[in-house]
Amino acid sequence: MNSSQHSRILSECFPNRNERLPLKMETAALVAPITALELFHDRFLLSGEGPVLSVYGLQPRPDVGASLSVLQHYRIHGIRPRSRDAVPTRRSTVTIHGQRENENNSTSERSFYDFAVFGGKAVRLVRLGLDPRDVETPHLEVLAPLMELQDWVLDVRWLSSDKRSLLCVAVAHNAALLLDSAAGSALVQCSCLEGCLLYSALLLVDECWANTVLVGGTVFNQLVIWKPGRGDEMINPGHKAPVERRLLGHSGVIFSISYLQEKGYLASASDDRSVRVWGVGALGGPGGRCGDSNPTCLRVLYGHQARVFSVHLSAGYVFSAGEDGACLVWDLGGGGKVIRTLKGHRAGGVRSLAVSGGAGGDDRWVATGGGDGGVRLWKVEDGVERKEGLEEKLTDLKFPDLGLPKVVCIAGGEEGNMCWSQFLVCTDRGTVCRYSDGSWETVWEGPPEFHSYCVMDTTTASTVTLCAVGNISGSIQVFPTSHPLSGIHLAGRPGKIYSVSWKKGTDKLYLLASGAEGLVYRWCVDVKMTENGSLVLSVVPLPAFLLPLCSKRWLTAAICLQRHSDQVLWVCGDRRGSLLLFQEDGNFELSRTDHGKVSEGLQTGGETRMTLQPVSCLFGVHGKHGVTSVCEYQGLFYSTGKDGCVRIFRVSPAKPETSNGELHLKVLRVQRACRGMEWLERVLILEPEVPEDVGVERENVIGGELRENRFVIVGFHAVHFVVWDPVRQERLMAVPCGGGHRSWSLWPSHPVLWSGRGALVFIKQGAILTSQPPGEMLGCAGEAGRAGGWSLREGIHGRGIWCVCRLGRIEEIGTDCQTQTGDSKTFWEIVVTGGEDTNLAVLAINPVSGLIKVLSVITDHISGVRALTAITRAQGKALCALLLSAGGRAQIQCNRLLVVWDRQRLTPSCQVIQVASHRLDIQWEKKRNRHKTVKMDPESRYVSIEVVEEKAGRLLVALSCSDGALRLFSVSEAESLIDLLWETFYHQRCVLCVATCSLQDVKGNRCKLLFSAATDGTIAVWHLTESLPILSSGATTPPIPCLVIPAHQSGVNSLAVWVEKLGQHEDGCLVTVASGGDDGQLTVSTVRVQYPEDGKVGGDGGFPPTCYNHTLMEAHDQSPNQVHVHLHSQSSIPLAHAASLTALKLLSPGLLVSTSSDQRVCLWRVSGTSISHSGALCSHVADAAGLAVWEEEEEDEKMGFETEQVNTIWKEKVDPVCQTSHVKEEETSDDPRNPAPDGDGNTGSRECSKKITSVGWVLVCGQGLQLLRLENSRMDEEMWQSREKEIERVKVTFQK
């Protein structure tokens, strides 16, 4: 590349390079689909995410290595290593992430590996370097300029024996190039005689170009095989090579091709959801062979539920990955059946696949990259068949013919030293059998009253396994399994015993039996060992619980909590789906007379005063199918039901101002499992992953609220027993048991904790089956080949992100030793995203490292989330936010978020509390005389949300709706209530966005304006000042707009409003409204607001405690106090973007940020009627729909002579301590790289320079997310040279 070309490229990228641009935009964090993967030497995994190349180390355990932006604005689609051997080592100056390492500082040699990275129309060479001092930490550097071709690159291969870095390149128009990467030119170019488009291509190269063979997947669903180099003497600019072989059979386009040279097999993955394996013979090699003359299709593999994107052939196996999010492992030699299914991505499918060689019978590494931006890694064993990737091989325990098994339990409790080998089974004949050491034995045979019906539960007390069996006549038999003859017989009222359960208190063991008429009998059981070695059971009856009246009146779950020394709380769940709270005195030791009264009352029903009534009841919260479990951990309760929900709740005083000790249950939030998983059985708390040498005591309170722990959900999903992680949205365990309605038991049988391993025993069709053979060690999550694999990079949404809201930032607080060693502060940005998958994700982003962590996933919405807004405030060290979300099915959700730094886990932690919810269809069902009104459209959706005012503990929120309505709601956190105040259908078409503006004159009078825009391209201005006070009586109608502004030819997607001139001027004030629409136009309208002569503009903007079913003053009431609003000026840029402008935000007064589906992020300066383009950046996020912008102040300390320049957009504050008399000297500087600042921005120092700079941040969301940093850009020469090398590129031309 000559100097003129270089200067032209620099001028295109940096038009004002000589002026040293005051702004620069660079990527701080990125989440995009993983479109390329390459496993290298079984030591490293390279991935392509957008233009960023990342490398992960696999030894000794998978971990992240380094990252480097390689392809500028192109997306990486392939990574090809030069060879499996290291390039000869030598000393070299290495550039890593823009930082140059000096040769003189290198004391040892490095080994290098070269890679060709391609995507779009670009190819670039990258080197992976390893330092012998730290062989586990790789480094990346760019070797050559970016080579831009004139066609889309589908495959790149290195010529094996060439030392000049020659590359064979396959392009989309069924052509091939021989590329000289050093010269940046194509030495040879050849096209196929069949000049059709290719969706995929595979190059098979040898030592020379003449032996190259190309296999292409055409747009006509065919595979064509041809030779680009049929002899150098035949090559000429117009040469076209014929097709040598043609493979027919697919009914869809072909996305991926793989070849296995040892077998002569070719595999193709297609849009028709199939994988085909062809017997083509030898391809490529010496002579450029094109395989058999009559290739045949050996296998047609159907197993994917959507398009298949990737395929890989290995010895005996086929690996395929597709849009359904599954990676299937096929047994090629065993009939072509699926032997493993690897699933670990949220949504969006698996976009890339890499498989290691697995030579010598070693296990294979399998890596998958998802559309959610996640990277997962598995180890697949050769010769081991596993029907599902997370499923275990079932073992039949061969239950003898002693009746039909009804209940199965694990004998041994939760002690970790007990082995997985003993089970107890109760049959329909009343027989209890035990499985131990591979054989069955009968423990207890019940009398005839136990033959027709029985229920059973077991527990362990002092290494003794106790068993309780209830029957249909109201009797319970309790006995130790080691001494069944030492058992005792308990009796309640006549009637069926619906359930028996053992519950452990602080130092006591309880037995609960749910009987007829809603009575729950209770006993305190104690086990003692006599001197002669026999066991003695002592039983103390306790007052029974009386369940509320309902149709299904029996107990299904209970938990005991010793709150104080003299108070015991019981939280129970019943078959009707209710949660109940019982309270009793801790001193429940009864006299013998009381014992008799309780026993007599239980049997005859004559002593009703000995029963306890619930002090609090949440009736039917889990639906009519019942509660399945209740557990307690660190003060919070977790309940599950067959409604597919987990409810997190607590016990709190009913009235804090009273001291009568009344308690009630309060639900904090609801967590849904995955789609289709309705039958939930249990919640298990994940054991915290605490880093080593962290001796910080865990704080269990965030902002005055108890901390919620991460948990997994246990339940049934279709025919599988599943352990589901709701945060990572993945299965941790799956067993094909046949579905619910069966007895089961999970090992380890800890009632609360999940250690990452487990095995299941269950009953299916009269057989006792286990997911793992008894006596074997349980597979641990950290072992090689674990079912869930390793998550090298966590995925986010997978589907489109439609909205984003930034809450604030929290400071990273390390341990005491870490705090003393470092002075710099690290902050994490907290954002919330919502989108097509109906979930809200609370994310923590580290702008320095680019690390993104998912703190919580909120699953309250039943349709896509379209809009987000929040009110945030600091609460001690915690970040507190009231989050409002709205979307499909006209649903609004309000949640309280508390985010704090967890000093034990050294990671941010988030607590979610559900406040209130609202749906229009549910509110319509509650209306009186609703038959006289038109029912709302169930397809209505909220598109935009904006907080109008916050006062007196309430929020006024305006929402735009697709049914043409503009609605105003009141949100009360104290009352957990969202009320509709009024609605207007003025627009008569879909309202796309809303925005608000608050004005105040010199007399303190306020003016509240609301802006709404619809699909007709108009913007309506509403004066809400007189509509905010809610009157207690009188008729009202919603206000009408005081001004309508025609702004666009079609829909207005986004609004940005700010005040240019405040109200102290005699002519009122000016309000600027910037809008972006589907026509790609950016319009800036200036509205003049004039106050009335007396200065009164309406009410005080407050509203009383009750905000529903009241009236509003008419906004169009012509009163002398009404403000006057009219259009002052308007200007626009017709082609601000090449596509519809989807989001527009105000970063600072006069500076706008816009984005569009054309994948550009643009900066605009607005001054009066002037709109100027201030910069643009090509975003790596497709289908950009959401935008968040903010400013943060950062301290920057520099030693030596530094000149501080005022940013023309953000003002920089200088520490007065560092100001010296050299300011004037800097002001007169004529250096073009250090221009004199304007106004009061004059600062400088020769010794120390400490400044506080406002840095802008832009977060773009769509098919992924990208965080951009905007700051003042002053680069020295070395930094400019590094930047020039990064943007260096050449146009590849054909040399005749």
Side-chain angles (χ1 to χ4, degrees):
M1 182 174 59
N2 54 38
S3 58
S4 61
Q5 291 176 331
H6 183 257
S7 301
R8 179 178 54 83
I9 293 174
L10 287 178
S11 63
E12 291 177 358
C13 297
F14 298 95
N16 300 323
R17 177 174 179 252
N18 294 332
E19 300 177 9
R20 295 295 191 255
L21 289 177
L23 284 180
K24 65 174 181 178
M25 275 192 295
E26 58 184 19
T27 301
L30 176 66
V31 175
I34 305 297
T35 51
L37 288 174
E38 178 69 23
L39 281 163
F40 185 68
H41 277 189
D42 287 350
R43 292 181 57 192
F44 301 105
L45 172 67
L46 289 90
S47 69
E49 182 183 24
V52 178
L53 179 67
S54 301
V55 57
Y56 302 88
L58 304 183
Q59 303 296 338
R61 60 182 303 272
D63 196 9
V64 66
S67 297
L68 181 65
S69 181
V70 174
L71 291 191
Q72 295 182 12
H73 58 276
Y74 293 105
R75 180 176 293 178
I76 297 175
H77 282 281
I79 306 165
R80 301 289 183 259
R82 181 167 188 175
S83 68
R84 296 297 177 181
D85 299 325
V87 177
T89 60
R90 62 182 183 273
R91 288 188 194 274
S92 176
T93 301
V94 182
T95 303
I96 303 171
H97 299 286
Q99 301 295 327
R100 182 174 293 266
E101 180 180 338
N102 198 322
E103 291 180 350
N104 299 329
N105 295 333
S106 178
T107 59
S108 58
E109 303 291 346
R110 288 183 177 178
S111 58
F112 299 111
Y113 304 89
D114 291 345
F115 295 85
V117 181
F118 65 92
K121 296 182 179 180
V123 181
R124 198 162 203 178
L125 303 186
V126 179
R127 174 163 292 175
L128 171 65
L130 299 178
D131 193 333
R133 296 168 297 180
D134 188 7
V135 294
E136 304 301 334
T137 304
H139 304 278
L140 294 172
E141 65 168 320
V142 173
L143 288 182
L146 182 75
M147 294 173 284
E148 286 188 309
L149 280 66
Q150 298 178 357
D151 202 352
W152 302 100
V153 182
L154 299 182
D155 194 17
V156 173
R157 301 287 170 173
W158 299 77
L159 282 184
S160 58
S161 63
D162 190 83
K163 298 182 180 180
R164 293 190 303 162
S165 299
L166 295 184
L167 301 174
C168 295
V169 182
V171 293
H173 282 79
N174 208 3
L177 304 175
L178 181 59
L179 187 63
D180 186 352
S181 60
S185 61
L187 305 179
V188 179
Q189 182 176 7
C190 182
S191 299
C192 181
L193 191 61
E194 186 165 329
C196 60
L197 284 175
L198 301 182
Y199 268 67
S200 58
L202 174 65
L203 282 169
L204 303 171
V205 299
D206 194 49
E207 295 183 355
C208 63
W209 165 258
N211 298 334
T212 301
V213 175
L214 190 149
V215 183
T218 72
V219 71
F220 300 113
N221 314 330
Q222 302 175 3
L223 286 167
V224 294
I225 303 175
W226 60 283
K227 295 180 60 177
R230 299 187 60 186
D232 292 341
E233 69 279 2
M234 300 178 59
I235 300 302
N236 58 76
H239 171 66
K240 292 183 181 295
V243 175
E244 304 288 345
R245 305 287 186 271
R246 190 184 304 272
L247 306 180
L248 306 177
H250 280 293
S251 59
V253 297
I254 298 162
F255 291 124
S256 178
I257 306 170
S258 178
Y259 178 66
L260 182 61
Q261 184 176 5
E262 292 80 2
K263 298 288 186 180
Y265 291 165
L266 187 73
S268 56
S270 173
D271 182 57
D272 61 6
R273 301 183 300 166
S274 73
V275 174
R276 289 178 179 257
V277 181
W278 314 81
V280 296
L283 295 178
R289 293 165 294 185
C290 293
D292 300 337
S293 58
N294 295 313
T296 59
C297 181
L298 304 178
R299 300 282 186 194
V300 180
L301 308 177
Y302 279 100
H304 286 278
Q305 300 178 4
R307 298 181 292 177
V308 188
F309 288 146
S310 302
V311 65
H312 181 87
L313 273 174
S314 65
Y317 300 97
V318 180
F319 298 83
S320 62
E323 197 175 21
D324 57 356
C327 176
L328 302 183
V329 184
W330 309 79
D331 185 3
L332 189 57
K337 61 181 180 179
V338 178
I339 59 174
R340 281 201 69 175
T341 300
L342 308 177
K343 282 189 175 183
H345 296 279
R346 298 175 185 267
V350 179
R351 299 294 183 89
S352 54
L353 172 68
V355 182
S356 65
D362 296 336
D363 296 341
R364 288 179 172 84
W365 287 106
V366 178
T368 57
D372 59 352
V375 179
R376 298 197 69 87
L377 189 67
W378 286 270
K379 263 195 174 181
V380 178
E381 302 174 0
D382 282 346
V384 178
E385 177 178 344
R386 297 173 68 181
K387 186 174 178 59
E388 294 290 339
L390 298 175
E391 294 179 3
E392 308 291 343
K393 186 176 180 180
L394 301 182
T395 302
D396 191 350
L397 299 186
K398 307 296 182 182
F399 187 72
D401 188 14
L402 299 175
L404 191 65
K406 291 294 184 181
V407 185
V408 60
C409 299
I410 295 178
E414 64 270 14
E415 285 77 7
N417 56 355
M418 302 296 289
C419 67
W420 153 258
S421 62
Q422 297 185 10
F423 314 104
L424 290 177
V425 174
C426 184
T427 68
D428 59 350
R429 301 178 187 175
T431 303
V432 177
C433 302
R434 177 170 56 196
Y435 179 88
S436 180
D437 298 328
S439 61
W440 291 94
E441 62 176 339
T442 300
V443 176
W444 178 78
E445 292 186 2
E449 59 265 25
F450 285 86
H451 286 183
S452 60
Y453 168 86
C454 60
V455 291
M456 182 185 73
D457 192 22
T458 62
T459 190
T460 301
S462 302
T463 68
V464 177
T465 300
L466 297 178
C467 181
V469 182
N471 62 13
I472 201 170
S473 61
S475 300
I476 302 100
Q477 183 71 22
V478 181
F479 58 91
T481 57
S482 59
H483 300 78
L485 298 180
S486 302
I488 58 175
H489 183 79
L490 303 176
R493 290 185 182 179
K496 182 179 181 179
I497 300 295
Y498 291 96
S499 66
V500 293
S501 59
W502 294 96
K503 299 299 173 184
K504 291 184 177 181
T506 305
D507 53 357
K508 294 180 175 61
L509 179 64
Y510 303 95
L511 175 64
L512 280 70
S514 184
E517 300 181 6
L519 282 174
V520 180
Y521 317 129
R522 300 186 303 139
W523 295 271
C524 182
V525 182
D526 189 18
V527 182
K528 295 182 179 179
M529 182 76 69
T530 61
E531 295 179 357
N532 56 5
S534 61
L535 293 176
V536 176
L537 298 181
S538 61
V539 177
V540 177
L542 304 175
F545 293 152
L546 184 61
L547 302 180
L549 286 171
C550 58
S551 58
K552 300 173 182 178
R553 201 179 177 194
W554 65 84
L555 191 73
T556 57
I559 187 70
C560 176
L561 178 64
Q562 187 85 25
R563 186 170 184 179
H564 303 292
S565 60
D566 59 344
Q567 188 183 66
V568 178
L569 298 180
W570 287 85
V571 180
C572 305
D574 64 8
R575 181 60 178 79
R576 181 55 185 84
S578 304
L579 293 173
L580 312 169
L581 176 63
F582 294 91
Q583 182 177 355
E584 67 175 348
D585 189 356
N587 295 322
F588 51 78
E589 296 293 340
L590 304 178
S591 63
R592 294 185 178 181
T593 304
D594 294 330
H595 292 173
K597 288 182 179 180
V598 171
S599 301
E600 182 181 355
L602 293 178
Q603 296 176 6
T604 64
E607 194 67 35
T608 58
R609 66 180 178 87
M610 300 305 295
T611 62
L612 296 178
Q613 303 281 345
V615 298
S616 178
C617 175
L618 300 177
F619 185 79
V621 291
H622 276 286
K624 60 183 179 180
H625 296 296
V627 179
T628 55
S629 72
V630 178
C631 71
E632 181 271 338
Y633 190 73
Q634 295 184 351
L636 287 180
F637 294 86
Y638 305 80
S639 65
T640 59
K642 297 179 185 178
D643 60 345
C645 295
V646 175
R647 282 174 169 79
I648 299 98
F649 60 99
R650 67 181 180 186
V651 177
S652 59
K655 296 180 180 180
E657 63 272 9
T658 63
S659 58
N660 53 8
E662 292 183 0
L663 302 174
H664 81 297
L665 301 177
K666 180 181 179 181
V667 177
L668 300 180
R669 78 176 187 99
V670 179
Q671 173 72 55
R672 293 195 63 88
C674 61
R675 188 183 302 274
M677 188 174 175
E678 300 295 329
W679 190 317
L680 308 186
E681 289 284 358
R682 190 184 298 175
V683 163
L684 295 176
I685 305 299
L686 283 173
E687 293 182 345
E689 300 176 358
V690 181
E692 297 180 359
D693 301 330
V694 177
V696 180
E697 184 178 356
R698 179 174 174 82
E699 300 177 358
N700 197 38
V701 178
I702 303 178
E705 296 287 343
L706 292 174
R707 179 195 299 267
E708 176 187 321
N709 291 270
R710 274 200 60 192
F711 58 85
V712 297
I713 303 173
V714 178
F716 295 97
H717 190 192
V719 298
H720 292 85
F721 178 89
V722 173
V723 178
W724 175 260
D725 188 341
V727 174
R728 293 186 176 179
Q729 297 283 292
E730 64 174 328
R731 289 184 177 185
L732 303 182
M733 176 181 175
V735 179
C737 64
H741 293 292
R742 68 189 66 251
S743 178
W744 61 273
S745 189
L746 183 65
W747 175 266
S749 56
H750 197 287
V752 177
L753 296 180
W754 169 257
S755 60
R757 57 182 183 177
L760 183 74
V761 56
F762 60 96
I763 299 175
K764 183 178 182 181
Q765 297 178 349
I768 309 297
L769 303 177
T770 62
S771 62
Q772 189 169 328
E776 290 188 1
M777 294 293 294
L778 300 182
C780 182
E783 297 174 357
R786 62 178 182 173
W790 288 269
S791 178
L792 298 182
R793 181 179 176 89
E794 195 170 4
I796 306 297
H797 279 276
R799 297 182 182 177
I801 303 176
W802 289 341
C803 53
V804 60
C805 179
R806 187 248 183 182
L807 304 183
R809 66 176 182 173
I810 62 172
E811 182 181 352
E812 179 177 323
I813 304 174
T815 59
D816 295 338
C817 60
Q818 293 174 342
T819 305
Q820 294 175 1
T821 56
D823 297 331
S824 61
K825 296 181 179 180
T826 302
F827 294 93
W828 290 73
E829 299 291 343
I830 309 300
V831 299
V832 181
T833 57
E836 187 181 359
D837 60 358
T838 74
N839 295 333
L840 293 173
V842 184
L843 308 177
I845 305 176
N846 189 330
V848 177
S849 64
L851 183 63
I852 300 178
K853 293 187 176 182
V854 180
L855 304 185
S856 182
V857 177
I858 305 174
T859 58
D860 297 334
H861 282 270
I862 61 176
S863 186
V865 184
R866 294 277 180 175
L868 286 171
T869 189
I871 300 295
T872 62
R873 61 178 60 90
Q875 189 171 336
K877 295 182 179 180
L879 176 65
C880 181
L882 186 66
L883 179 69
L884 290 166
S885 57
R889 303 293 292 273
Q891 181 181 5
I892 309 173
Q893 292 293 138
C894 181
N895 294 278
R896 170 67 66 183
L897 304 184
L898 298 171
V899 185
V900 71
W901 179 259
D902 191 334
R903 298 188 62 182
Q904 186 185 33
R905 297 185 181 182
L906 299 181
T907 184
S909 177
C910 178
Q911 172 77 20
V912 181
I913 302 173
Q914 188 177 26
V915 176
S917 63
H918 184 279
R919 282 175 55 187
L920 285 180
D921 54 349
I922 295 178
Q923 297 301 316
W924 183 87
E925 294 290 343
K926 297 179 180 180
K927 285 184 177 180
R928 294 182 179 180
N929 301 323
R930 60 180 178 270
H931 62 280
K932 298 180 181 180
T933 61
V934 179
K935 185 176 182 179
M936 59 85 57
D937 184 5
E939 298 301 323
S940 297
R941 62 188 180 276
Y942 293 122
V943 185
S944 178
I945 185 172
E946 188 78 15
V947 175
V948 177
E949 192 170 49
E950 178 186 10
K951 191 173 182 181
R954 290 177 179 267
L955 296 179
L956 284 185
V957 182
L959 288 101
S960 61
C961 194
S962 63
D963 61 359
L966 179 64
R967 294 181 169 92
L968 188 69
F969 288 87
S970 169
V971 181
S972 173
E973 183 179 6
E975 300 177 8
S976 300
L977 195 62
I978 300 178
D979 282 324
L980 175 63
L981 301 182
W982 53 257
E983 61 184 6
T984 176
F985 291 86
Y986 168 80
H987 285 280
Q988 295 295 314
R989 50 186 52 83
C990 178
V991 186
L992 294 176
C993 55
V994 292
T996 61
C997 179
S998 297
L999 307 175
Q1000 186 173 357
D1001 64 359
V1002 293
K1003 298 182 179 180
N1005 296 311
R1006 293 186 303 160
C1007 177
K1008 182 71 67 174
L1009 297 181
L1010 176 67
F1011 301 82
S1012 62
T1015 54
D1016 60 352
T1018 61
I1019 303 173
V1021 184
W1022 310 75
H1023 180 215
L1024 297 183
T1025 306
E1026 296 182 353
S1027 299
L1028 295 182
I1030 309 301
L1031 303 181
S1032 59
S1033 62
T1036 183
T1037 57
I1040 63 173
C1042 55
L1043 178 65
V1044 177
I1045 306 172
H1048 295 267
Q1049 300 177 6
S1050 54
V1052 182
N1053 295 322
S1054 185
L1055 293 173
V1057 181
W1058 70 96
V1059 180
E1060 281 197 347
K1061 190 183 296 184
L1062 298 179
Q1064 60 266 23
H1065 297 275
E1066 58 183 7
D1067 56 349
C1069 66
L1070 297 179
V1071 178
T1072 302
V1073 183
S1075 58
D1078 287 333
D1079 54 3
Q1081 177 175 293
L1082 174 63
T1083 302
V1084 176
S1085 305
T1086 303
V1087 175
R1088 182 184 297 276
V1089 181
Q1090 292 180 324
Y1091 299 106
E1093 295 182 358
D1094 57 0
K1096 297 181 180 179
V1097 294
D1100 58 355
F1103 42 94
T1106 57
C1107 296
Y1108 60 96
N1109 293 334
H1110 290 291
T1111 60
L1112 300 170
M1113 296 183 64
E1114 295 184 7
H1116 58 281
D1117 184 16
Q1118 300 298 327
S1119 65
N1121 293 333
Q1122 182 70 35
V1123 298
H1124 302 282
V1125 181
H1126 63 273
L1127 182 63
H1128 180 263
S1129 62
Q1130 190 177 66
S1131 58
S1132 63
I1133 297 182
L1135 296 177
H1137 283 272
S1140 60
L1141 199 153
T1142 55
L1144 182 68
K1145 295 292 183 181
L1146 180 70
L1147 181 59
S1148 63
L1151 179 63
L1152 291 172
V1153 182
S1154 66
T1155 188
S1156 167
S1157 52
D1158 64 359
Q1159 293 190 228
R1160 286 194 305 154
V1161 178
C1162 296
L1163 301 177
W1164 309 90
R1165 292 187 184 181
V1166 179
S1167 177
T1169 59
S1170 172
I1171 308 175
S1172 61
H1173 186 265
S1174 184
L1177 178 71
C1178 182
S1179 173
H1180 311 313
V1181 177
D1183 301 330
L1187 193 64
V1189 298
W1190 65 92
E1191 288 181 294
E1192 288 290 351
E1193 293 183 348
E1194 295 185 1
E1195 290 186 1
D1196 187 15
E1197 290 191 9
K1198 297 181 180 180
M1199 300 303 295
F1201 182 83
E1202 293 287 344
T1203 302
E1204 301 183 1
Q1205 173 182 320
V1206 171
N1207 194 317
T1208 58
I1209 297 177
W1210 298 290
K1211 291 185 178 180
E1212 298 173 352
K1213 303 176 183 178
V1214 183
D1215 192 342
V1217 177
C1218 297
Q1219 291 183 356
T1220 65
S1221 59
H1222 301 286
V1223 172
K1224 183 175 180 180
E1225 187 175 315
E1226 292 299 323
E1227 290 178 348
T1228 59
S1229 174
D1230 295 329
D1231 190 348
R1233 289 174 295 180
N1234 297 310
D1238 298 331
D1240 57 350
N1242 47 354
T1243 56
S1245 175
R1246 294 190 181 274
E1247 299 299 330
C1248 72
S1249 176
K1250 182 177 181 181
K1251 63 179 180 180
I1252 301 177
T1253 306
S1254 292
V1255 178
W1257 297 93
V1258 178
L1259 182 62
V1260 187
C1261 293
Q1263 297 295 332
L1265 60 88
Q1266 183 178 9
L1267 179 63
L1268 301 173
R1269 176 187 174 99
L1270 279 70
E1271 65 175 345
N1272 194 23
S1273 176
R1274 276 189 307 105
M1275 300 184 183
D1276 55 23
E1277 289 301 326
E1278 185 176 358
M1279 293 177 65
W1280 270 106
Q1281 293 174 6
S1282 174
R1283 183 61 176 164
E1284 290 172 3
K1285 181 178 180 180
E1286 182 180 342
I1287 66 171
E1288 191 176 8
R1289 57 185 178 182
V1290 294
K1291 295 285 186 180
V1292 176
T1293 58
F1294 177 67
Q1295 303 293 335
K1296 297 182 179 181

